Amino acid sequence: MKKVKTISALSVGLAFLLASGTAIPIWAASDKLTVVVTDEPKSLDPCDTDLSGNSRILHNNITEALVNLNPVDGSVVPSLATSWRQVDNLTWEFTLREGVTFHDGKAFDANAVVAALKRAQDPALACESGLATLKGVKFDAQALNSTTLLIKTDIVEPILPNKMSAVDIGSPATPNDGKTRSPAGTGPYRLAAWTPGQSISLAAYDGYWGEKPAIKNATIIWRAESAVRAAMVDTAEAQIAYEIAPQDGITEQDHAFPNAETSLLRIDAQVPPLNDMRVREALNLAIDRDGLVGTIFHEGAQKAMQVVSPSVFGFNPDIPVWKYNPEKARSLLAAAKADGVPVDKEIVIYGRIGIYPNSSESLEAIQAMLADAGFNARLEMLETSPWLKRLLKPWDKERQPSILQTQIDNTEGDAVFTLPNRFTTDGNQSTIADSKLDKLITDASKATGDERRKLFQEAFNYIAVDAVNIAPLFHMVSIARVAKNVNYTPDVQAGNEIKLKSISYR
């Protein structure tokens, strides 16, 4: 297949038309900031920060965790906890920060953390942090006193502090009978308003325990088109715009950065013909990854073979990337067909609108590549809510064979934050049921040091070489456009966290 041609940017006139028709001053007021993202969050419940669309608004803006991770080296640093220590193999002790209050006036103390952890693990609530970060482990939190917290686990958790960085703590008044749309956290901003379909407004919290943010009022809006988001910064309708497409991010205001995301196609390996290994191999061989880099995907994107970046503990450097070989793909499909595998059956490619720049265009190109290799593939682009129904269990037993466009981030630095929920038999996003892989992931999660690294590397190799239930694409690079009068430099965590308190005007 020929190299995919570079996509031309939308015209400036069209971008202006779609963005807004109102008159805007040259610069925004010094106490106001507008940030434009790709889509509206699914939830603003404190226990749903495992999804990046929710986390970028909640985490360290409205809600906070016990600890944070340093974006430079992944080390654990204090937040709502000031120190921590491992008491024994199954017990960790955290000393909590004093004098902290939630936005609703409730005191932050050990009992509040106990309530938050209990809520996050409630299966009836189906919290994203419970289904991902806390999956497979029972966390029993106990308040020794107002500032001392014990967390006991039923299995060894050698990196429990890292896990706590992904569990945001909401007010003890947060309802337990359902998700909330009015989160009360301890962060530098409180939720002022959520106007569905339009915007989210945040206001600086006067009682914040830490350094006060320079900008008092922040508004988050969403627009699907990259060119529209970029143009909004140019017209001062926004001061920061995320996920600018490569063809639009060509000015000195555009900052490219690795974002800890890995894009991939998740293969439903349980439905014919995708339950045949040869078909899954053919799918990978049919994709011209070299032709996608520097055209549809950013020129700095790296071809991936596994679903975490090289900086993540457990990454396996010895797995080779797939090579484009449509002839071999056709041969594999022919062999499978000769054995009675229904390779002519229609396979649906489910994409998510705006999941990353050029998301639709990338799948249009991949659909053409698959067709060239002999696949019968149909593309269906979805908004976030219907896409999430395809991502998360339960699924229809009579479903069509499908592959799903997704991406996986890992800013926590350890493979345990990626593998269990997505690749074990009972994982909420897993399309594979393999007892050997289950054991590898379980054993790795309990191990430490070199043994932990070795087992995770074996698990990644098993997924890529033995199971082949994904079509990995790229370790991603993002672009953010920042207004000239704004002090802000995006880092590797920017895909999951808009660090509003770090932003100021020049």
Side-chain angles (χ1 to χ4, degrees):
M1 173 171 287
K2 295 181 179 179
K3 193 175 183 75
V4 181
K5 294 181 179 180
T6 303
I7 302 169
S8 61
L10 294 176
S11 70
V12 174
L14 175 59
F16 276 55
L17 176 64
L18 291 174
S20 173
T22 58
I24 301 294
I26 295 177
W27 300 119
S30 61
D31 64 342
K32 295 180 180 179
L33 181 86
T34 298
V35 178
V36 57
V37 297
T38 56
D39 53 0
E40 187 170 11
K42 175 193 175 188
S43 165
L44 287 185
D45 192 287
C47 77
D48 278 341
T49 53
D50 188 66
L51 291 179
S52 58
N54 307 333
S55 176
R56 63 190 173 197
I57 296 173
L58 283 166
H59 188 56
N60 284 329
N61 293 322
I62 299 174
T63 53
E64 298 174 302
L66 294 183
V67 298
N68 282 319
L69 297 180
N70 187 318
V72 176
D73 60 9
S75 59
V76 184
V77 296
S79 182
L80 291 177
T82 56
S83 63
W84 49 92
R85 68 184 182 95
Q86 189 168 15
V87 178
D88 56 48
N89 285 341
L90 300 178
T91 309
W92 287 80
E93 180 184 279
F94 290 81
T95 300
L96 305 185
R97 193 175 297 279
E98 298 184 57
V100 177
T101 58
F102 290 95
H103 302 156
D104 60 2
K106 299 287 185 183
F108 168 77
D109 55 20
N111 286 319
V113 182
V114 170
L117 280 170
K118 182 177 180 181
R119 186 174 181 275
Q121 295 178 96
D122 184 349
L125 285 177
C127 291
E128 297 297 339
S129 59
L131 294 170
T133 302
L134 304 181
K135 179 184 178 297
V137 185
K138 182 179 179 181
F139 290 80
D140 179 20
Q142 302 172 14
L144 296 187
N145 54 53
S146 62
T147 60
T148 307
L149 174 78
L150 284 185
I151 299 181
K152 295 179 178 290
T153 58
D154 59 338
I155 61 174
V156 176
E157 271 293 350
I159 60 165
L160 186 137
N162 299 63
K163 285 198 168 187
M164 289 302 101
S165 71
V167 182
D168 279 28
I169 309 301
S171 166
T174 305
N176 292 316
D177 58 353
K179 300 288 182 69
T180 182
R181 291 180 63 87
S182 302
T186 59
Y189 289 87
R190 60 178 176 79
L191 178 67
W194 181 1
T195 306
Q198 295 184 34
S199 65
I200 290 171
S201 299
L202 307 181
Y205 173 47
D206 291 336
Y208 184 54
W209 60 268
E211 184 178 349
K212 304 298 189 292
I215 298 172
K216 301 301 182 184
N217 300 285
T219 301
I220 295 91
I221 58 177
W222 38 91
R223 299 290 186 270
E225 295 289 344
S226 163
V228 171
R229 294 193 295 275
M232 293 180 77
V233 175
D234 296 338
T235 59
E237 294 173 82
Q239 285 68 56
I240 300 173
Y242 289 100
E243 298 293 346
I244 303 303
Q247 68 270 15
D248 300 321
I250 56 176
T251 75
E252 62 180 14
Q253 294 171 246
D254 297 310
H255 303 264
F257 58 96
N259 66 5
E261 299 269 15
T262 300
S263 61
L264 66 142
L265 303 176
R266 187 191 68 183
I267 303 171
D268 192 342
Q270 298 176 334
V271 180
L274 296 172
N275 63 340
D276 189 283
M277 170 75 79
R278 293 166 294 185
V279 177
R280 301 196 298 274
E281 289 180 356
L283 192 152
N284 273 284
L285 292 166
I287 299 173
D288 181 8
R289 292 166 177 82
D290 287 319
L292 295 171
V293 176
T295 55
I296 290 176
F297 289 86
H298 191 275
E299 62 183 3
Q302 297 180 327
K303 289 184 290 184
M305 187 57 180
Q306 53 203 296
V307 296
V308 295
S309 62
S311 63
V312 172
F313 187 90
F315 177 87
N316 189 333
D318 298 323
I319 305 174
V321 297
W322 288 97
K323 293 183 178 180
Y324 177 51
N325 193 335
E327 293 79 12
K328 185 175 180 180
R330 296 186 196 101
S331 176
L332 287 169
L333 287 180
K337 185 174 183 178
D339 289 340
V341 178
V343 298
D344 296 326
K345 191 172 183 179
E346 182 184 75
I347 297 171
V348 185
I349 307 172
Y350 291 115
R352 186 184 124 193
I353 298 170
I355 189 172
Y356 46 73
N358 300 332
S359 57
S360 298
E361 292 84 352
S362 70
L363 291 189
E364 289 168 3
I366 289 173
Q367 180 188 24
M369 295 171 186
L370 295 181
D372 183 59
F375 283 91
N376 176 16
R378 173 174 63 86
L379 174 60
E380 186 174 336
M381 295 302 299
L382 304 172
E383 297 288 352
T384 301
S385 291
W387 175 84
L388 284 169
K389 291 181 180 179
R390 302 291 182 183
L391 175 71
L392 305 171
K393 292 178 179 177
W395 301 309
D396 183 357
K397 292 182 179 179
E398 305 302 320
R399 63 191 182 275
Q400 264 190 277
S402 66
I403 55 179
L404 182 83
Q405 177 189 48
T406 186
Q407 59 179 358
I408 297 174
D409 73 273
N410 189 319
T411 57
E412 295 87 359
D414 189 278
V416 76
F417 294 96
T418 294
L419 291 176
N421 191 43
R422 297 175 176 90
F423 295 99
T424 59
T425 299
D426 63 347
N428 195 42
Q429 300 179 30
S430 178
T431 62
I432 187 173
D434 189 307
S435 58
K436 182 176 179 180
L437 182 58
D438 289 349
K439 187 175 188 307
L440 272 175
I441 294 173
T442 299
D443 290 348
S445 300
K446 298 177 183 178
T448 59
D450 289 341
E451 179 66 11
R452 183 182 184 88
R453 186 191 304 275
K454 175 177 173 291
L455 289 170
F456 275 137
Q457 288 179 340
E458 288 182 21
F460 282 122
N461 187 77
Y462 192 86
I463 292 166
V465 177
D466 298 295
V468 193
N469 71 318
I470 57 170
L473 297 175
F474 303 102
H475 301 307
M476 299 289 278
V477 170
S478 283
I479 301 174
R481 179 166 292 184
V482 181
K484 292 180 179 179
N485 66 331
V486 170
N487 290 307
Y488 172 66
T489 302
D491 59 29
V492 69
Q493 296 170 341
N496 297 316
E497 182 180 346
I498 304 172
K499 299 179 179 180
L500 290 171
K501 69 180 179 182
S502 72
I503 302 170
S504 63
Y505 283 102
R506 298 185 192 279

